[in-house]
Amino acid sequence: MRKRTSVSSALMVDPEQKYRNLSDVLEERLSQNPEHIAFDLPVRGSTGAIEGWKHVTTAEFHRQVRAVAAGLIAQGIGLGDRVALFSPTVYEWAVADCALIYAGAQVVPIYDTSSPQQVGDILADAGVVAAFAGSQGHADTLTQAGEERGLDLAIWCWESSLAYPCLADLEEAGRGLEQVQVDQRRAQLRPADIVTLVYTSGTSGAPKGVKISHLNMMGQVLNVAAAYSEIVHEQGRTVIFLPLAHVLARGLQLVCLVKGMRIAHLSNPKELISQLPHTQPTFLVVVPRVLEKVGDAVSKQAQAKHLGRVWQAAERTALAVARAQEQGVRPGRPLLFARAAYDALFFSRVRSLLGGKIEWILSGGAPLARELSLLFAGMKVPVVEGYGLTETTAPLAGNRPGAIRSGTVGLPLPGAEIRISEEGEVLARGIGVISGYTDSSWDQLAFTEDGYLRTGDLGSLDADGYLTIRGRLKDEITTAGGKSISPFTWEEAVTASPLVEHAIMIGDKRPYLVALIVPSEDGRALPQAACAQAIQKLVEDANSLVARSEQVRRFKVIELDDQDPELITPTQKLRRTALSKRFGQVIDELYAA
């Protein structure tokens, strides 16, 4: 089947026909259904454990957003001032984000796991004048990092602190300011104005400040909402537990706000499974590792009950049903009967584990294995895989309900154009694609002469325009013999195992390939010899999938702190360059062996 080199999708909604800026979009939502429940907030007891949930209506959220916006203006935040948000994923993050938009400021989100050095670099590069902090510890880090770089920051915490004013203090400061002044401020914003600076997580280099405009964000929010109306709607619910500093989670939050989808926040992902029966989401956005862990949990439960072989048969059945459905073929009665039996035994429990009301899952942030996508579809939980970058204001392509092609990241979203270069790089243009970076010297490298963004990802388009990602261009290895190798297939095969958290192939300018492998919690739970033996088998199996010149000859199992911001990005990706430097001696020993 012949492949395509370009594909595009027309806008479903042109934001400039109706809106001046993102605050107009949020204002419109209020007029539609002010008493609708917009948020579920966790109620925590004295130990910090969640004891219940309370509701916030659209009208209540809107009142608080405007009150905080008034306080910001009263405290001297000016049009275009840059204000940081340094906090875990919580409701107050949403309030501050929208209030800053209403006040005409530019939001600078910072991952709450960032090191003091990373925080300081962002503050200095962005020229931040004020910040919101998730805790006094976050506030202290901001203060110290700011002082070291000559910045005098105004800082507000979410809750009362002896050292810093809180969100309620900011609301109080704005009580004397007329709301008409808030409207006058937001009326000055135009589509091309910058709404946020988002810093990339930097897997292979220093983070870059990405300038996202009101038009970029409005275009994405409105068109994603239109394209996925079957998923995002007033009757739906979701839980956001990914970092709101990431453009994917932030974009999701705005789409849900605009469409009236109920949002619950969880700052600790480990609380997710226990709270899903209470929040009962109809839709979740996850990274592939979450789906892998759900599947592993069911497999372990089955093995504990001596039903391991039965679960394996159930998996085969789910995959067979999903493959048939994806090809437009109705599964035969025996297959459907078997699926119904396994549904009662296993699959319904998976859906219960996800809250009991789950209808859709969106997977992003990393490649999703085709078999895993098919497995969940066969269990009646279809997974919509998408693809995007910070520079495309999150989604660039995505599978659609009723047209999912597992193993691909789908079709261009409305307003997006995708082209594959002669080198195989994915190039992009469209309403979500940024105009440039805080450091304009990066712009020339990031864009082609005819205005396409260089994504840095290798990919291909099939005859129907579905995009498949095949790794990072920068990750390509050129061996000492001049052979160019993409590590994607090999690394994906190894990390598909629940025993492995990360795998990185190494061999640039070297005579052959080696690898560093980080075991998962499950892998570390095994006896050391058993873990080594299992990983050896995984390496052999992965080697069987690639050409001889692309096989790994030697590997080393290493231990990493998964909270180390110098080696792990907030989205749990390895910083390859930093890892290679830190483990340089180990790598040299693999070649000396």
Side-chain angles (χ1 to χ4, degrees):
M1 188 179 291
R2 188 176 179 182
K3 294 181 179 180
R4 301 171 65 167
T5 57
S6 65
V7 63
S8 62
S9 179
L11 280 173
M12 294 180 72
V13 182
D14 183 352
E16 290 187 281
Q17 295 294 317
K18 188 176 181 180
Y19 307 103
R20 296 167 302 183
N21 57 66
L22 193 55
S23 73
D24 287 347
V25 181
L26 297 170
E27 280 290 301
E28 183 179 66
R29 173 60 198 162
L30 175 71
S31 66
Q32 294 170 340
N33 195 344
E35 296 309 312
H36 180 71
I37 296 173
F39 294 93
D40 290 318
L41 274 61
V43 178
R44 297 184 180 274
S46 57
T47 62
I50 297 175
E51 297 181 347
W53 293 81
K54 64 180 181 180
H55 311 312
V56 175
T57 66
T58 302
E60 290 169 334
F61 174 71
H62 180 262
R63 180 210 61 76
Q64 190 173 11
V65 165
R66 293 188 68 107
V68 173
L72 287 165
I73 295 170
Q75 291 290 296
I77 298 300
L79 190 69
D81 279 352
R82 293 171 176 177
V83 180
L85 269 171
F86 185 36
S87 164
T89 296
V90 290
Y91 166 75
E92 290 82 2
W93 209 109
V95 172
D97 186 22
C98 292
L100 287 166
I101 293 169
Y102 272 64
Q106 297 177 16
V107 185
V108 184
I110 303 175
Y111 288 101
D112 72 297
T113 54
S114 297
S115 68
Q117 177 70 37
Q118 291 167 334
V119 172
D121 289 347
I122 291 173
L123 295 177
D125 184 77
V128 167
V129 300
F132 286 94
S135 67
Q136 183 159 327
H138 288 102
D140 290 342
T141 298
L142 286 165
T143 298
Q144 181 180 346
E147 288 175 350
E148 289 173 354
R149 287 159 179 80
L151 301 173
D152 183 19
L153 304 178
I155 297 174
W156 301 280
C157 288
W158 299 143
E159 297 178 356
S160 180
S161 162
L162 294 176
Y164 302 93
C166 65
L167 207 58
D169 295 326
L170 198 54
E171 288 188 52
E172 184 62 32
R175 289 193 188 281
L177 190 132
E178 296 291 333
Q179 280 298 314
V180 68
Q181 293 176 258
V182 175
D183 288 326
Q184 288 171 348
R185 174 64 66 83
R186 68 184 191 85
Q188 297 178 62
L189 298 167
R190 295 293 177 261
D193 291 337
I194 302 304
V195 68
T196 186
L197 300 180
V198 180
Y199 283 77
T200 61
S201 54
T203 58
S204 57
K208 298 192 284 271
V210 176
K211 298 192 295 185
I212 296 176
S213 71
H214 280 267
L215 181 59
N216 291 145
M217 192 67 83
M218 284 193 297
Q220 291 293 70
V221 167
L222 293 168
N223 281 280
V224 168
Y228 292 94
S229 58
E230 296 170 66
I231 297 176
V232 185
H233 48 76
E234 267 199 1
Q235 291 72 45
R237 299 184 181 191
T238 193
V239 179
I240 298 178
F241 59 95
L242 299 176
L244 280 169
H246 193 285
V247 72
L248 174 61
R250 181 126 162 261
L252 166 68
Q253 178 164 269
L254 290 168
V255 170
C256 291
L257 272 172
V258 168
K259 296 301 291 185
M261 193 164 191
R262 200 156 148 180
I263 302 169
H265 295 99
L266 284 175
S267 57
N268 183 358
K270 292 181 179 179
E271 295 178 319
L272 178 65
I273 296 299
S274 66
Q275 292 304 314
L276 288 177
H278 304 287
T279 55
Q280 296 187 318
T282 59
F283 168 59
L284 282 174
V285 174
V286 302
V287 292
R289 204 62 177 168
V290 173
L291 299 181
E292 291 167 8
K293 289 180 178 179
V294 170
D296 295 342
V298 177
S299 178
K300 285 180 182 178
Q301 290 174 9
Q303 291 171 6
K305 296 178 181 178
H306 307 290
L307 294 173
R309 290 186 178 179
V310 181
W311 166 246
Q312 291 172 4
E315 282 186 302
R316 290 194 295 270
T317 298
L319 290 169
V321 170
R323 288 193 186 99
Q325 291 176 335
E326 194 166 279
Q327 294 166 7
V329 177
R330 178 175 171 78
R333 286 187 179 181
L335 191 56
L336 291 175
F337 180 80
R339 204 262 291 266
Y342 290 131
D343 191 86
L345 190 59
F346 294 116
F347 305 157
S348 61
R349 296 187 183 186
V350 172
R351 297 193 297 275
S352 294
L353 194 66
L354 294 169
K357 302 288 186 181
I358 196 74
E359 296 174 356
W360 301 93
I361 289 177
L362 187 146
S363 176
L368 175 68
R370 171 174 162 78
E371 296 292 292
L372 192 59
S373 174
L374 289 168
L375 174 61
F376 274 82
M379 294 190 295
K380 301 181 182 179
V381 187
V383 179
V384 176
E385 187 176 7
Y387 162 77
L389 297 82
T390 304
E391 289 89 338
T392 61
T393 318
L396 174 66
N399 281 281
R400 311 281 181 87
I404 293 173
R405 191 165 294 181
S406 298
T408 79
V409 294
L411 300 163
L413 291 180
E417 181 182 356
I418 294 172
R419 190 175 81 188
I420 307 299
S421 74
E422 291 183 2
E423 297 76 26
E425 183 180 10
V426 179
L427 308 177
R429 268 195 322 203
I431 198 162
V433 176
I434 64 163
S435 60
Y437 298 89
T438 54
D439 184 343
S440 60
S441 66
W442 289 321
D443 295 352
Q444 189 172 358
L445 295 174
F447 293 91
T448 64
E449 290 183 359
D450 52 353
Y452 283 86
L453 173 75
R454 301 180 190 272
T455 67
D457 288 311
L458 294 168
S460 61
L461 295 167
D462 67 16
D464 297 319
Y466 283 77
L467 175 65
T468 298
I469 301 299
R470 305 191 182 283
R472 291 286 293 169
L473 190 62
K474 286 184 179 179
D475 293 345
E476 278 204 325
I477 295 168
T478 303
T479 65
K483 176 72 175 178
S484 293
I485 295 165
S486 172
F488 180 78
T489 300
W490 190 92
E491 291 177 352
E492 184 181 42
V494 175
T495 55
S497 168
L499 300 178
V500 175
E501 196 69 34
H502 303 286
I504 178 171
M505 181 189 283
I506 294 160
D508 204 49
K509 299 181 177 62
R510 302 274 196 166
Y512 53 84
L513 302 173
V514 300
L516 299 178
I517 296 175
V518 181
S520 66
E521 188 175 338
D522 288 345
R524 295 193 300 272
L526 292 175
Q528 189 173 3
C531 180
Q533 185 176 3
I535 290 178
Q536 176 68 49
K537 179 66 165 56
L538 291 173
V539 169
E540 292 170 359
D541 290 345
N543 280 345
S544 70
L545 299 175
V546 297
R548 184 174 179 81
S549 60
E550 299 173 348
Q551 294 176 358
V552 165
R553 293 197 195 178
R554 298 190 176 97
F555 69 91
K556 179 73 173 179
V557 177
I558 61 172
E559 295 290 333
L560 286 186
D561 175 5
D562 61 6
Q563 299 301 313
D564 185 342
E566 302 298 329
L567 295 182
I568 308 291
T569 74
T571 51
Q572 295 300 295
K573 296 174 186 174
L574 280 176
R575 299 186 192 274
R576 302 175 76 98
T577 303
L579 186 83
S580 297
K581 287 181 180 178
R582 183 172 302 182
F583 288 89
Q585 183 176 342
V586 173
I587 294 169
D588 289 341
E589 289 171 356
L590 284 171
Y591 284 101

